[in-house]
Amino acid sequence: MPQKPPAPSFEDLLDSARTHALHLELRDVYAVGEERKVYDAFLRDGSVPADDSEFWSGWLPLVERTVARGVKVLRARVVSEPVTDYIRFEHAITDANLRAGEDVRWLSRRLASALALPGNDFWLIDDRLVRWNIFSGDGQALEPDHTEDPQAVKLCAEAFRSVWDLATPHADYRI
């Protein structure tokens, strides 16, 4: 049996989008290595990285050029309340995502109890491709996966839209 190719990079993923890129985040803690320095600074003194910092150097320009092509980039976060320190950090840095052109909403986990949600965070591109972001129990990023399976695509599309419809826009979500 042939080996499955690796999941597309974020750059390839967003560059392939024609209409929309939907991202659903389901975890309360992420331990992504490249965030450690800015996360520690946030915990120390509440500082957030500038839009032109090394931290954002790959992501913000990618989102800007994706949105400039007319692609909607939507991000929904399901979070436990009271929120973790990591979610406070994400909330604090989200204004940069908005300035780049993303639209971001937040949903209290208690309001998501009756929703059918997949087991992992994902990106859904144009209702055709799902990129699963896989994490260890302690929040370390593992090798991502992807699929074009119609049932998985349908699950993710319905899950994202059900969260999005209930979620609070970033400007109105209070920590």
Side-chain angles (χ1 to χ4, degrees):
M1 184 167 161
Q3 191 171 15
K4 186 175 182 178
S9 68
F10 288 121
E11 186 169 6
D12 290 343
L13 195 67
L14 291 183
D15 283 347
S16 76
R18 289 179 231 109
T19 60
H20 60 270
L22 312 177
H23 185 37
L24 184 62
E25 297 179 5
L26 301 167
R27 298 182 56 89
D28 289 316
V29 175
Y30 295 87
V32 180
E34 62 265 14
E35 294 178 345
R36 188 80 240 171
K37 186 176 174 183
V38 294
Y39 178 58
D40 287 345
F42 173 79
L43 292 176
R44 249 188 336 274
D45 59 22
S47 63
V48 296
D51 290 7
D52 62 354
S53 69
E54 183 180 339
F55 175 77
W56 289 116
S57 65
W59 186 250
L60 296 183
L62 176 58
V63 171
E64 289 168 348
R65 80 172 187 247
T66 301
V67 171
R69 291 191 340 267
V71 175
K72 289 183 181 180
V73 180
L74 309 180
R75 180 187 303 257
R77 294 175 170 141
V78 178
V79 297
S80 299
E81 295 173 330
V83 300
T84 63
D85 285 341
Y86 187 86
I87 296 302
R88 283 189 319 104
F89 164 70
E90 276 194 331
H91 190 270
I93 67 172
T94 295
D95 284 340
N97 297 83
L98 299 176
R99 285 189 295 273
E102 286 188 55
D103 193 355
V104 180
R105 293 186 183 181
W106 303 80
L107 181 66
S108 172
R109 191 171 310 282
R110 68 183 165 75
L111 299 176
S113 297
L115 302 181
L117 300 175
N120 292 294
D121 291 11
F122 65 83
W123 279 92
L124 176 61
I125 305 300
D126 298 333
D127 291 341
R128 65 175 171 79
L129 172 74
V130 177
R131 182 190 194 266
W132 305 107
N133 293 339
I134 311 296
F135 295 91
S136 66
D138 64 358
Q140 299 292 323
L142 302 176
E143 191 67 31
D145 197 2
H146 68 290
T147 185
E148 294 182 42
D149 175 71
Q151 287 184 314
V153 166
K154 181 180 180 199
L155 169 69
C156 291
E158 290 173 354
F160 185 89
R161 287 176 181 91
S162 66
V163 168
W164 191 257
D165 289 346
L166 290 174
T168 302
H170 177 71
D172 299 327
Y173 184 73
R174 302 291 173 244
I175 298 281

